[in-house]
Amino acid sequence: MTFVILRHQLAKIIGRIVHHFQQVRERSSYAEVVVLDDELLKLVTRLPPHFALNPDKSLDEKSKYIPVHRFLLITEILFVRISLHRPYILRRLSSDRYARSRVACFESAIKDFEVRQRFREIMPRETRESLSNAYREFQTAMISGIYLVLEPRGQDAAAMRAILDGFIKEHNGVREMDETTRRELKTIEFLQTKASHVELQRLVPSENVSSTNSQQQGQLLAELQQPVTASSSPRPFPSLLTLPTLDSSHSPPMHSSTSGHINQSPTFQRLQQTSSEYAQSPTGSGSPNTEEESAAQQLLDHWCNTVSNAPLGATASGLLWGGPDGADLSGWVGTNQIAGCDSRLNGLDDSDWNYWEALVNQIQRT
């Protein structure tokens, strides 16, 4: 009964999230996203100790259903939170307006992976397979790949690489794989490879770059590896990783994890400097507009909403935002496969490859 009540509370928040993205008579505001995120975080803080992010497991042996219910509830909360913020993750990367959405996606992806790993350790294979949700695991891996493209040497790079490696390891060697799963696997392999290329590009300066610029680049890389001191300005928004629990005395202390560094990277710290405009700024509910237009975000949204569920080869034709009446995205995507691709990615359809190549290029141009 406890699970049903908690799931009902989550469902009410989901309903408001759906309303936010499907409003057609009036323009939605990013302030609504902040309010909805606060509601999700408030729900997490009010979870009973046996259902918390860092749970009291004293009843797990006696009541076998509790770990299952906890897993279902927590992973759904994290999936909903990522889904709420994903339409804003790549908007205005050069400013802090949507920094909260980026951090929310990244820390939720890390926590989702941790929860799933712990569940795999205690549950038999049959139970795990009956409760698996392939798309949610793919979304976590995709968000991790995007993080590595943005921050290949960030504080959470090791945790994000572990997520990509785990996803690939779990799917490699599977004899029978449907087309959707195969595309998801190749997409994650692509992001893994591109993240490695981005890291190498930042480590190895170009031949025509002056020694002064090389030193500045090295200084920046060194800065990315240094934690922020206690004197740094506080985060302007709450973090999933530092929330109080309903009864913390029953919850074990959090184990040391790289996820605690999600807000400590100096790069993210610069994006998170206190600014009142990010909470007040208007934005489209899901479709980009002139003010908020971001090529990378449009491509990501189109992939998640349309392309990922389309037949193979569909992306080779004109790419439209939200269907045949949407904005033409074909100009951002090439028609020839990129030369010198990683041999592991030979199974990735040409159109898929070019789509994600264009998306990554748009991220790097921002």
Side-chain angles (χ1 to χ4, degrees):
M1 183 59 70
T2 302
F3 171 75
V4 175
I5 294 173
L6 295 173
R7 179 60 182 78
H8 178 68
Q9 294 175 0
L10 176 60
K12 291 193 293 185
I13 300 176
I14 293 174
R16 288 192 285 274
I17 293 175
V18 171
H19 183 264
H20 166 76
F21 284 108
Q22 293 188 350
Q23 284 183 352
V24 293
R25 294 187 177 181
E26 59 184 24
R27 189 179 181 187
S28 297
S29 166
Y30 187 65
E32 295 174 7
V33 175
V34 174
V35 172
L36 290 167
D37 188 51
D38 287 340
E39 290 186 25
L40 285 172
L41 296 178
K42 186 176 181 180
L43 174 62
V44 172
T45 63
R46 293 183 173 182
L47 292 176
H50 301 291
F51 290 86
L53 283 176
N54 298 282
D56 176 1
K57 300 181 180 180
S58 60
L59 297 180
D60 285 12
E61 287 297 325
K62 180 180 179 181
S63 303
K64 299 293 185 180
Y65 61 88
I66 289 182
V68 175
H69 287 179
R70 181 172 61 235
F71 170 78
L72 292 173
L73 182 65
I74 293 298
T75 54
E76 185 166 13
I77 291 174
L78 295 171
F79 173 76
V80 170
R81 191 172 189 232
I82 292 176
S83 299
L84 170 64
H85 288 283
R86 180 191 52 74
Y88 305 92
I89 188 175
L90 296 178
R91 294 193 187 190
R92 297 203 176 187
L93 291 173
S94 59
S95 76
D96 66 346
R97 173 168 287 193
Y98 303 111
R100 175 165 181 162
S101 288
R102 284 186 279 277
V103 172
C105 285
F106 297 147
E107 69 179 15
S108 296
I110 291 175
K111 180 58 67 174
D112 180 77
F113 180 73
E114 293 176 352
V115 170
R116 292 182 186 279
Q117 288 297 102
R118 289 198 298 264
F119 191 72
R120 288 188 178 98
E121 294 173 358
I122 63 173
M123 284 294 162
R125 184 182 184 88
E126 297 77 11
T127 303
R128 298 199 312 266
E129 290 181 349
S130 66
L131 298 174
S132 64
N133 188 305
Y135 180 76
R136 293 185 182 183
E137 295 179 18
F138 167 72
Q139 178 172 260
T140 292
M142 179 184 69
I143 294 297
S144 302
I146 291 174
Y147 173 93
L148 290 173
V149 171
L150 291 169
E151 289 280 338
R153 294 176 62 81
Q155 292 282 359
D156 287 276
M160 297 301 191
R161 290 192 188 96
I163 295 175
L164 297 188
D165 292 341
F167 184 90
I168 294 172
K169 180 179 179 181
E170 184 176 350
H171 290 83
N172 276 339
V174 177
R175 294 182 179 180
E176 297 183 4
M177 187 180 300
D178 59 82
E179 287 299 324
T180 298
T181 303
R182 187 186 69 84
R183 295 174 74 182
E184 291 175 349
L185 173 61
K186 295 304 176 182
T187 297
I188 298 306
E189 289 178 340
F190 173 83
L191 288 173
Q192 184 185 58
T193 300
K194 292 300 294 186
S196 298
H197 291 170
V198 172
E199 182 178 11
L200 289 175
Q201 290 173 1
R202 296 187 182 182
L203 285 174
V204 181
S206 176
E207 294 180 359
N208 58 2
V209 176
S210 65
S211 58
T212 302
N213 289 338
S214 300
Q215 293 175 357
Q216 292 176 349
Q217 184 182 33
Q219 183 178 1
L220 176 60
L221 290 174
E223 179 188 352
L224 289 174
Q225 295 177 329
Q226 296 176 359
V228 177
T229 61
S231 60
S232 300
S233 59
R235 292 185 300 271
F237 41 77
S239 169
L240 179 73
L241 308 174
T242 58
L243 292 176
T245 58
L246 185 63
D247 188 355
S248 58
S249 63
H250 290 286
S251 300
M254 291 183 63
H255 296 289
S256 176
S257 168
T258 55
S259 61
H261 298 296
I262 193 73
N263 287 305
Q264 295 182 9
S265 166
T267 299
F268 278 114
Q269 198 71 18
R270 287 193 293 272
L271 290 175
Q272 297 172 28
Q273 294 301 316
T274 304
S275 173
S276 60
E277 68 168 310
Y278 87 91
Q280 304 295 332
S281 61
T283 183
S285 60
S287 302
N289 52 60
T290 303
E291 179 188 358
E292 305 294 340
E293 184 173 353
S294 166
Q297 186 65 61
Q298 289 189 55
L299 288 168
L300 179 61
D301 289 342
H302 184 69
W303 171 269
C304 294
N305 299 334
T306 306
V307 180
S308 61
N309 296 319
L312 288 175
T315 53
S317 58
L319 296 169
L320 302 178
W321 169 266
D325 297 324
D328 186 5
L329 304 180
S330 57
W332 290 327
V333 182
T335 56
N336 298 321
Q337 186 163 353
I338 308 302
C341 68
D342 191 293
S343 59
R344 295 177 303 166
L345 304 180
N346 289 336
L348 187 62
D349 184 76
D350 287 358
S351 56
D352 285 352
W353 170 282
N354 286 293
Y355 197 99
W356 279 97
E357 180 74 23
L359 198 158
V360 171
N361 288 340
Q362 290 296 332
I363 292 176
Q364 294 175 322
R365 291 173 187 171
T366 304

